[in-house]
Amino acid sequence: MSAENTTGRSALTPFTIVAGIIVIIGLILTGLRFMGGLGAVTNLDNNNPWGIWISFDLLCGVALAAGGYTTTAACYLFGIKRYHSAVRPALITAFLGYALVVFALHYDLGRPLRLPYPIFVSQGTSSLLFEVGLCVFIYLSVLFVEFTPIAFEWLGMKKLRNIVHGWTIPLTVMGVVLSTMHQSSLGALYLIAPNKLHPLWYSTYLPLFFFISSMFAGMSMVLFESSLAHKNFHHLMDETHKAESEGVALGFAKACSWIMMGYIGIKFLGIALENKWAWLGTGYGMWFLVELVGFVLMPAISYAIGYRDRNFGLIKITALWTVLGIVLNRFNVSQVAFNWKLPAAERYFPSMAEIGISIFVVTIGILAYRFIVTRMPVFYEHPDYKGEH
Amino acid sequence: MNRRKFLGLVGATAAVAAAGTSAHAAGNTHFTGHPEANAVLFDATECIGCRKCEDACNKVNELPKPDKPFDDLTVLDTKRRTTEKIYTVVNKYENSKNPNLPVFRKNQCNHCQEPACASACFVKAFKKTPEGAVVYDESLCVGCRYCMIACPWSIPAYEYDEPLTPRVMKCTMCHPRILEGKLPGCVEICPKEALKFGKRDELIKFARNRIEAYPDRYLDHIYGENEMGGTNWLYISGVPFGELGLEEGLGVTSAPELTSGALAAVPVVTGLWPVLLTGLYAIHKTREKIEKKEKDDAVSAALTKAASEAEAKLSSELEKADVANKRKIEVEVKKAVEEALLPKDDDDAPEEEA
């Protein structure tokens, strides 16, 4: 990738070759999936109806795209103006993240063409999945509108850009409201199955856990993504972006550290309230502690140290660490601790094709991200709109 | 976007969210099931594992023929579950009371009074009928399989090999037959009368009487009377229900109640968040304004001060200049007078002296 930084436009780089191969494999798997049904490509069965397309593409995808609402809220609603240069990269990540969630859902649904049914044909309002679907649908629209000024600036459509730019505050408020609801509802999906989810992960607080963890998930993803962007797209960034990025890193590291500490607190509150201490002594208890201590408490401390010492290397590593922790948590809830009573032979493990589709989806995201940031004013201010916050 | 438009949008979102909560089953009334609902009572002490019910189910529902015929009882040696091609299965279990006599249990959809699948379905493809059955409408199903996640007994199965029109498959309690006044296929065929069909209320009374009449034969519990809010398939048994592969410790809370709290949070969030966030925004905006005003005031105060100081200085300078001028004039005048008087100096001197 470093070669392409200097050459800029050459088409055949190691990156594009690998991406091309993944896309071709992805298209083949897509064909297999829609010709032969879910059974042809997945290891799903009647006991395990949800595999990694839900665990990774949906649950992790939505959590990691939470940077959109956290960053815009910090900048516009809480008035932390020095985060402004982080807003556009976060919005791009969120918009692409949600778009890919919806895209990936087409693979998992038995009848993907009926995706609009819950909203437009028959509303199952008692379902938490309905809430998730409705919120994701509206929020994706909100993110799209929030994204359009970037495209309008690129296309030179000043009038439209200025109109949409005026909607910033209401859109941000809607973004936070919708995110609160669907982030928490993803956790609440599992409230209906108390006998299938392990007691350490099952809690009436599940919606709260998912919502709070989405905050530090989103911010960590912004930090992680920005550290990658600084490596690959540094030449695109203007002075404001470069000057502000350290402040963003410090601010987010501090915020994450606090929120993660609070998260650990209510996690234990959940254990205490439902008196599940005894479970901590079991094998699943060890795994629970690995998740909570190894992937929440330790990164929280690491963030705090990174903030205190202004150690940006440590903050970057911690961001990745936290992102992995979120992925671990979502997998634990939806796979590892789910169906825990089933004998090992009846448990699910993803097939190569399922993993392949997930990699394909992520690759499409990276390609779309590159397309946007190399063309549109994301890391820099468009000269026509300088200083218009 | 102007304020009115924005408020309208927020209102619309809230309305959608509120509509979302009005429909859920767990309100402040306790739902005890439809009064005329039918049920089936399974007696584990009667079942002999003949698989006739499986056969009848297969015929009535026109399901594909299995690999092994229904009179082949060796299939009982492995544990089976319901699938998209088999709506009901009989499994064999060890008898803890009498090791020489295995027990059998028929498994199928339990037709919950407040079904988890119906509560979970985001397109209302599942419906609880007043007659007792939980039925599925494939014309609405999107194929998300959340019903399968939600079902406490893992009953619904899915046509994974169907590329275009996969369906969720499960026992229908022979709903079409019930509407015709017929018995469910399995009940009709059972040679041991291990299955009994009737009104749910009456079956519960019947089961209680039986348990009372034969206390040595039965455990004092009707499985399904209260489990997960109650089901329309009921079980009585001589061995603990856990040994029959029926989940124990499910609790009596119905599925809709389990999620009602989370759904109730929706109006709170849609109501509270916009107000709170707009408030926060207003606060920081006002603070910015105040800061700006304070700054402006300070600047203008400083300017005024500087101006008045400058004026004072000017006037004092002017005054000084005036004084100096006067003095200069005086001096000049004096000088002039002196000069004018100078030639007469000699004359004057005496005069002056004089």
Side-chain angles (χ1 to χ4, degrees):
Chain A
M1 266 202 255
S2 56
E4 133 204 70
N5 281 345
T6 45
T7 54
R9 293 263 170 260
S10 98
L12 278 183
T13 62
F15 172 81
T16 51
I17 291 169
V18 173
I21 293 170
I22 293 173
V23 169
I24 290 166
I25 295 174
L27 291 175
I28 295 169
L29 291 173
T30 305
L32 291 175
R33 151 71 184 90
F34 289 104
M35 310 266 261
L38 281 165
V41 285
T42 69
N43 281 348
L44 298 174
D45 59 36
N46 287 330
N47 286 325
N48 302 287
W50 284 1
I52 60 161
W53 290 347
I54 295 295
S55 301
F56 183 74
D57 302 5
L58 178 73
L59 295 184
C60 296
V62 167
L64 297 176
Y69 86 88
T70 47
T71 312
T72 49
C75 178
Y76 297 127
L77 299 181
F78 307 148
I80 311 175
K81 288 275 168 67
R82 64 201 160 88
Y83 292 167
H84 190 260
S85 65
V87 165
R88 285 191 165 184
L91 270 181
I92 296 288
T93 318
F95 173 55
L96 288 177
Y98 278 89
L100 289 174
V101 165
V102 175
F103 173 68
L105 216 50
H106 285 81
Y107 286 82
D108 190 75
L109 289 176
R111 298 196 183 194
L113 294 179
R114 286 183 175 178
L115 193 52
Y117 270 35
I119 296 165
F120 297 109
V121 176
S122 174
Q123 295 80 16
T125 46
S126 64
S127 171
L128 279 156
L129 198 60
F130 175 76
E131 195 192 328
V132 172
L134 186 64
C135 285
V136 169
F137 168 69
I138 303 175
Y139 187 42
L140 183 58
S141 314
V142 167
L143 280 169
F144 176 73
V145 178
E146 284 185 299
F147 158 77
T148 52
I150 304 173
F152 288 150
E153 285 182 14
W154 172 54
L155 298 167
M157 300 159 88
K158 274 197 166 166
K159 235 183 179 168
L160 273 173
R161 181 264 177 206
N162 288 337
I163 292 171
V164 183
H165 187 76
W167 301 343
T168 301
I169 299 301
L171 285 173
T172 308
V173 172
M174 277 182 80
V176 178
V177 172
L178 293 163
S179 294
T180 310
M181 292 198 292
H182 72 255
Q183 294 284 359
S184 55
S185 302
L186 283 175
L189 282 181
Y190 291 90
L191 286 177
I192 206 163
N195 63 320
K196 292 187 182 173
L197 186 56
H198 191 280
L200 280 175
W201 281 272
Y202 187 89
S203 162
T204 47
Y205 285 157
L206 258 177
L208 199 60
F209 294 158
F210 267 57
F211 174 56
I212 293 176
S213 57
S214 83
M215 292 186 216
F216 59 79
M219 283 191 274
S220 297
M221 193 62 192
V222 169
L223 290 179
F224 172 60
E225 181 233 299
S226 120
S227 76
L228 289 183
H230 272 273
K231 223 182 232 165
N232 296 308
F233 304 110
H234 198 74
H235 56 289
L236 294 170
M237 296 173 180
D238 64 6
E239 289 313 311
T240 329
H241 190 100
K242 285 178 197 162
E244 284 186 1
S245 72
E246 289 200 340
V248 173
L250 289 176
F252 277 16
K254 189 178 181 183
C256 279
S257 185
W258 278 112
I259 299 171
M260 287 160 92
M261 294 292 189
Y263 175 76
I264 294 164
I266 57 161
K267 276 287 247 192
F268 277 110
L269 197 63
I271 301 278
L273 207 73
E274 291 157 32
N275 198 15
K276 290 173 176 166
W277 298 105
W279 287 105
L280 287 179
T282 63
Y284 270 103
M286 290 299 115
W287 187 237
F288 179 82
L289 290 175
V290 165
E291 180 197 315
L292 204 59
V293 175
F295 286 89
V296 187
L297 179 64
M298 282 166 63
I301 295 169
S302 179
Y303 264 139
I305 295 170
Y307 171 77
R308 186 194 63 190
D309 299 347
R310 298 179 62 86
N311 184 341
F312 296 101
L314 184 63
I315 290 176
K316 275 178 202 169
I317 292 167
T318 314
L320 175 62
W321 191 359
T322 310
V323 165
L324 291 177
I326 287 296
V327 173
L328 178 68
N329 170 258
R330 299 306 193 251
F331 267 96
N332 277 345
V333 171
S334 59
Q335 297 297 341
V336 181
F338 194 78
N339 272 338
W340 66 290
K341 289 178 190 167
L342 281 187
E346 291 176 30
R347 298 293 302 269
Y348 158 89
F349 193 84
S351 69
M352 287 309 287
E354 286 178 272
I355 297 169
I357 290 285
S358 287
I359 294 172
F360 169 62
V361 169
V362 172
T363 308
I364 291 184
I366 294 170
L367 290 173
Y369 178 87
R370 272 167 51 103
F371 179 88
I372 291 172
V373 298
T374 51
R375 282 164 182 79
M376 303 183 195
V378 174
F379 294 123
Y380 58 92
E381 282 183 288
H382 194 283
D384 292 355
Y385 310 95
K386 259 200 159 6
E388 276 187 39
H389 286 187
Chain B
M1 177 181 282
N2 60 31
R3 182 163 305 169
R4 187 173 302 164
K5 248 187 204 160
F6 169 56
L7 289 176
L9 264 178
V10 171
T13 322
V16 168
T21 52
S22 61
H24 73 78
N28 55 0
T29 48
H30 177 56
F31 181 70
T32 50
H34 296 286
E36 286 299 294
N38 300 297
V40 176
L41 175 68
F42 170 81
D43 189 338
T45 66
E46 296 282 5
C47 181
I48 53 168
C50 65
R51 297 187 68 208
K52 286 234 167 20
C53 50
E54 290 186 30
D55 195 359
C57 178
N58 179 281
K59 289 203 175 79
V60 165
N61 293 296
E62 292 166 1
L63 298 169
K65 285 282 154 237
D67 301 338
K68 288 180 181 171
F70 286 107
D71 50 17
D72 181 353
L73 297 184
T74 56
V75 261
L76 292 170
D77 295 334
T78 46
K79 192 191 136 203
R80 295 173 303 148
R81 62 154 287 155
T82 56
T83 72
E84 66 278 15
K85 297 182 181 101
I86 310 166
Y87 290 172
T88 187
V89 290
V90 176
N91 277 322
K92 185 162 77 174
Y93 299 94
E94 268 181 51
N95 188 345
S96 58
K97 265 182 169 176
N98 185 353
N100 301 320
L101 264 182
V103 277
F104 302 92
R105 203 255 306 177
K106 180 182 173 303
N107 194 22
Q108 72 299 303
C109 173
N110 285 324
H111 300 278
C112 308
Q113 303 211 87
E114 294 180 83
C117 54
S119 158
C121 183
F122 70 164
V123 284
K124 290 197 278 196
F126 285 96
K127 206 177 81 193
K128 176 76 179 175
T129 62
E131 294 83 21
V134 177
V135 292
Y136 164 74
D137 179 358
E138 65 168 283
S139 73
L140 292 172
C141 182
V142 180
C144 73
R145 309 185 298 287
Y146 187 34
C147 49
M148 298 165 74
I149 293 279
C151 177
W153 293 282
S154 303
I155 292 299
Y158 191 66
E159 293 181 316
Y160 283 105
D161 294 321
E162 185 60 54
L164 295 173
T165 54
R167 293 170 294 173
V168 173
M169 307 295 272
K170 68 165 197 69
C171 154
T172 64
M173 209 177 177
C174 285
H175 187 59
R177 285 171 63 94
I178 290 178
L179 292 182
E180 288 172 27
K182 291 188 199 158
L183 287 172
C186 53
V187 178
E188 193 180 63
I189 206 161
C190 183
K192 286 286 290 174
E193 291 182 9
L195 291 168
K196 193 175 166 60
F197 181 84
K199 295 271 173 276
R200 188 176 186 267
D201 299 348
E202 286 162 21
L203 278 183
I204 288 174
K205 275 180 209 150
F206 171 84
R208 261 201 213 112
N209 287 340
R210 245 184 113 68
I211 292 171
E212 251 172 67
Y214 305 98
D216 297 335
R217 187 170 174 173
Y218 295 105
L219 292 174
D220 187 14
H221 182 70
I222 305 169
Y223 189 95
E225 187 182 1
N226 296 312
E227 271 77 9
M228 292 297 286
T231 59
N232 287 47
W233 213 282
L234 305 161
Y235 302 81
I236 48 175
S237 159
V239 296
F241 293 96
E243 293 177 17
L244 290 176
L246 278 165
E247 184 97 17
E248 283 181 309
L250 281 178
V252 298
T253 312
S254 70
E257 272 177 88
L258 288 168
T259 50
S260 62
L263 281 170
V266 173
V268 179
V269 171
T270 39
L272 189 63
W273 247 205
V275 177
L276 205 69
L277 293 171
T278 318
L280 268 169
Y281 171 70
I283 287 171
H284 103 74
K285 203 76 190 164
T286 315
R287 200 180 56 198
E288 255 178 16
K289 256 188 202 156
I290 291 171
E291 273 168 8
K292 192 172 176 293
K293 193 174 178 296
E294 279 175 352
K295 205 170 138 195
D296 289 349
D297 285 352
V299 169
S300 68
L303 280 177
T304 333
K305 200 178 163 206
S308 61
E309 267 171 16
E311 209 172 292
K313 203 174 173 192
L314 188 70
S315 61
S316 80
E317 288 293 319
L318 278 176
E319 247 167 58
K320 271 184 206 160
D322 226 23
V323 172
N325 264 355
K326 266 185 193 159
R327 201 170 283 165
K328 227 181 208 166
I329 291 167
E330 267 170 32
V331 172
E332 288 297 318
V333 168
K334 222 178 191 175
K335 232 185 219 168
V337 170
E338 273 170 16
E339 259 170 39
L341 292 178
L342 205 63
K344 296 176 186 172
D345 210 20
D346 298 329
D347 307 328
D348 272 1
E351 213 174 295
E352 248 175 71
E353 274 166 37

